[in-house]
Amino acid sequence: MFEHCRIPLHKCLQAVHLIASSKKGISSHQLHRILEIQYKSAWFLAHRIREAMRDGKLSPMGGNGKTVEMDETYIGRLRASLQRRVQRPRISF
């Protein structure tokens, strides 16, 4: 559910808690104010959470009968501190 979410995980989990624990439900506008994120992001996050809570029949990770393997590989940009240390070839014209 949070696979490609650009909102920090602690805010996503807080949104799940707020939606699950509110007696009458919670609006996207209220999520926007509490989590301090944009309204569109709050609306989209609320819809994803509600869809996941709808019937509880989410498919397993990877698919039925598939094995999911995980390791400690980092895929993405280098941290800023590492980028400064990497020697780049100088090109002169």
Side-chain angles (χ1 to χ4, degrees):
M1 185 167 98
F2 305 119
E3 186 175 355
H4 295 290
C5 190
R6 295 184 179 190
I7 301 169
L9 184 60
H10 71 276
K11 289 189 179 192
C12 292
L13 295 176
Q14 187 177 4
V16 170
H17 172 73
L18 290 169
I19 289 173
S21 65
S22 60
K23 196 174 202 178
K24 296 181 180 180
I26 189 167
S27 69
S28 299
H29 195 69
Q30 192 170 359
L31 280 176
H32 146 73
R33 287 191 308 256
I34 293 171
L35 299 177
E36 298 175 350
I37 58 176
Q38 292 183 1
Y39 174 73
K40 285 183 176 183
S41 301
W43 182 87
F44 187 72
L45 181 62
H47 276 269
R48 284 180 104 175
I49 293 169
R50 289 181 188 127
E51 181 66 24
M53 294 173 72
R54 187 165 50 126
D55 62 358
K57 295 183 180 179
L58 293 176
S59 62
M61 288 183 71
N64 285 334
K66 302 280 182 155
T67 303
V68 177
E69 296 182 21
M70 298 174 63
D71 59 6
E72 297 177 10
T73 302
Y74 177 77
I75 299 173
R77 292 185 183 181
L78 290 174
R79 293 190 319 248
S81 61
L82 290 177
Q83 284 180 344
R84 285 185 228 117
R85 290 186 220 156
V86 175
Q87 295 290 331
R88 293 194 176 114
R90 295 179 186 233
I91 301 173
S92 57
F93 293 100

